[in-house]
Structure formats: C-alpha cells, structure tokens
Amino acid sequence: MKYLDEFRDAAAAKILAKEIQRTISKPWTIMEICGGQTHTILKYGIETMLPPEVTLVHGPGCPVCVTPLEMIDKALAIASRPDVIFTSFGDMLRVPGSHEDLLSIKARGADIRMVYSPLDAVQLASARPDKNIVFFAVGFETTAPANAMAVMEASRRNLKNFSILCSHVLVPPAIDALLSAPEHRIQAFLAAGHVCTVMGYEEYFPLSKKFRVPIIVTGFEPVDILQGILIAIQQLEVGRCEVENQYRRVVSPKGNIPARQLLATVFEITDRAWRGIGKIPASGYRLKDSFSAFDAEKVYNVGHIVTSEPGTCIAGEVLQGLRKPTTCQAFGKECTPEHPLGAPMVSSEGACAAYFHYGKIRPMKTQSKMN
Ligand code: SF4
C-alpha cells in the first residue's frame, strides 16, 4: 500500500537505526508530543532499536488525557439532564471525573451515545427536535475543524437544539509551557504530524529559536519516527536547532488554509487548564460570542462546578515526560484498561495504555514487515 507499507518496512527501519547509532556521540533526550506516536514507539519496539544514548520521553499529546477534570464534571452534569442526549467519541465515556464517569451515569439511564463524527450529532439534532443534543468537542487542532464545521452546519440548518461542550487544546503553547518548566530535560521535539497537517509548522519557528531546541514535524509510522529521531540527533550533534519537516508527504508549511479559516471563524483563543498539568495561557479554543447559542457551557450554565482530583494517579508527571508509566505504583495493579484510575490508561492514545498493551514488544529482527 503506497505511503504505508514503505513506512513500516523493517529493512528501512534498521538502516535508520544504524544511521542513528553512527551519528550519535552523547546522550540526548527527545520528546514525542503525540500519543499516537507513543503507541507506535511501544507497538514496534522502537526504543529497543535505539542506542542507549537516546532517551525518549512521552508528551501530553493525548486529547482524552488532557481534557480537564472540570470539563468531565461539566459533561456529567449536562448528560444527567432528562432533556439531553449527550454525544461523544467512545474514549471519553470511561474517563474518570471527580466521582464517576459518563458510562456509569449511562448505566443509570442517562441518554449518552457514542458517535463517530460531530456531524452525526448534528444529524441527530435534526431528527430529534424533542431533545437537546450536546456533543463533547475535545482534542487538538486536528479534530477542531470538524467540530467547527458541525457548528457551522447547525447554524446553517437553524437548529436550536444543538450545542457543543468545547474543550479544545493547542500544541504550541503546551511546548512553550513544557520548556519553560525548570525541571524539564527535553532537548528536542517530534511535533505531531496530524496537527501540522491542519496548522502547518510556522508556529514552531519562534519556539525553536526561543528555547534553542530542534522541532521535527514527524509522521506516525515506525520509519517516520526513526527518521524524525535521526534528524533531531543530526541537529543536536552539530548544535543546530531548527524546525524540519520529516512528514513532507502530508504536511506543508502553512497547513490546510480552508480549515484554518474555518477555525478562525468559529473559535477564539482562550486560556485552558490541562488535566494533570494546570492552566496554560492561550492554549485552547472556545466558541466566539457570535456562536454562543451553540456553547453548551452557556446554554446549561455549568460554570460553578467544583472538582476534586482522585489522589493516586501521577498522570501529570507522565504527561510532562517526567515519569514513565511503569514507575507508577498503580500501573498494571490497581490501574488497568479495565479499571483505569486515570485518563492515560483509558485512552487509545494514552501513554499508560501503550505501556500496558505493548509491554511485550516484538523484536524487529523476527519480522520482514512491521505490521
Ligand atoms: S498507571 Fe494509572 S494511576 Fe498510574 S499514571 Fe497511569 S493512569 Fe494514572
């Protein structure tokens, strides 16, 4: 399959691993910011192919993991209402709030439905004028255009019974916050290719310059990741710190301009709390006032929610690359995908779930193709 098989090719991966070995002369720590890349690294055993001088740390790029507790509790309050059908992607249903999760209140009778697209929720609003339909709009710049489109479509259809609970987060301010933390040990970033597909990568130039770190736009297949690591190490070894694009088959410097225009029409930048990390200035989207009729927080007046984070989970440290999931005392014991204590064990992009599922990695040398 073009653009897929060649990026899972074991021979190509081995050549890249050898080139990394040949290039490296001292220890370097690199963060992949995206949970999808974390899963590729664990699934294909990429860390086992790298020389010991390379340390990979995993970043906060899992949308389910960083959705703030306050938003989960607001979702629970709205979804409990008898006049509401609450819609969401499946991962969000099991994320623990202060006291329970969406699946628990669904079991008690709340009308909560899993959808595959926000436009499905718009369609449901059209079909069920007797109910109010709310969509839980979470995620990074990648998912935001589809949610903006759903709001535009609901507006075009003049739907009065559709709204979104908006909790979008943005990558560049998170990188800024991570690199501003005194305890950080990140020397280079693999930037998430799909975010850059929408936003391009010009936003990363000032960050790379300010913190003197290479930022490599990187795809999601094993060969992509190894190529991204190689480019980062080539820069680090000679003291360069630039933005480079490994994912050229998909990403252009300015990204998807119609999608960015749509985002600018519907959303504005706001401060946003990241679960486990805290508030990061200008790191989220909220609906513009001109679309406030579609803003579930305003429609259902849930601004007063008081949260309390359960105690044992160290997700905040995991999401900032300060601890590996396996150093959490609850990992694989009290906390498993069946009984998660924190969002990183729930989500299909969560670092704890990646370590749990792919702990027994497949060695490269036994495979002709990595699939
Ligand atoms: S293993 Fe579970 S409790 Fe520990 S950090 Fe991950 S999600 Fe939290």
Side-chain angles (χ1 to χ4, degrees), residues 72-92:
I72 307 286
D73 286 351
K74 285 178 181 179
L76 287 159
I78 295 169
S80 301
R81 292 173 58 112
D83 58 326
V84 163
I85 300 175
F86 192 87
T87 61
S88 170
F89 296 137
D91 275 3
M92 294 306 298

Side-chain angles (χ1 to χ4, degrees), residues 312-316 318 325 328-332 335-336 340-346 352:
T312 33
C313 181
I314 58 154
V318 171
C328 173
Q329 293 205 335
F331 177 84
C335 184
T336 63
L341 295 183
M345 190 58 96
V346 177
C352 300

Side-chain angles (χ1 to χ4, degrees), residues 119-131 133 153-154 157 159 161-162:
L119 290 171
D120 293 344
V122 174
Q123 198 55 40
L124 183 61
S126 261
R128 291 294 303 269
D130 58 316
K131 287 281 191 176
I133 313 303
E153 180 60 15
R157 294 192 198 188
L159 293 175
N161 64 335
F162 175 80

Side-chain angles (χ1 to χ4, degrees), residues 141 169-178 203 207 269 274 280-284:
E141 295 94 326
V169 280
L170 306 173
V171 168
I175 291 182
D176 196 317
L178 288 167
E203 293 176 294
L207 284 170
I269 305 279
W274 293 50
I280 301 178
S283 71

